[in-house]
Amino acid sequence: MGRSDRYELVFVRPGEPAAVPDAADVVQVHRTDRSGPGGHPVYADDTGIVLAEISDREEVRMLASGGHQNPAVAVQVRPA
C-alpha cells in the first residue's frame, strides 16, 4: 500500500452497521510535517482538532489535540 497525502477518516456510530447510509461520520485529513509516537506521519483536518497517525499499512492511531479528549479507538481510513 502506498501513502496518500489526504485521507478520509470514517467514524461509525456505535451500534450502527457501517453499511447503513448516514451511519458514519467522515472527516477529511491532510498530511502534516509532524510524526506521531509510532514514527508515522500525522494527518490533521482543516481545524487541527482531528489528529491521526496513519502508517504505511493504513493503520490509524487517533491523537488527542487538547485536554479532556477521548480519541476514538475504531476508525476506518480510505484515501481521499
Side-chain angles (χ1 to χ4, degrees):
M1 290 181 202
R3 193 171 270 156
S4 178
D5 285 337
R6 297 183 85 61
Y7 284 100
E8 290 182 335
L9 300 178
V10 182
F11 301 87
V12 177
R13 294 184 194 132
E16 296 284 340
V20 174
D22 299 324
D25 293 316
V26 178
V27 176
Q28 290 194 1
V29 293
H30 59 276
R31 187 173 181 167
T32 69
D33 59 354
R34 300 182 316 196
S35 295
H40 302 288
V42 171
Y43 291 75
D45 71 339
D46 289 339
T47 67
I49 295 172
V50 176
L51 298 175
E53 178 182 13
I54 302 176
S55 76
D56 54 350
R57 295 178 12 184
E58 296 184 347
E59 299 165 320
V60 181
R61 176 187 305 185
M62 297 304 299
L63 305 172
S65 62
H68 305 289
Q69 286 185 333
N70 187 12
V73 177
V75 179
Q76 299 171 0
V77 65
R78 59 185 179 213

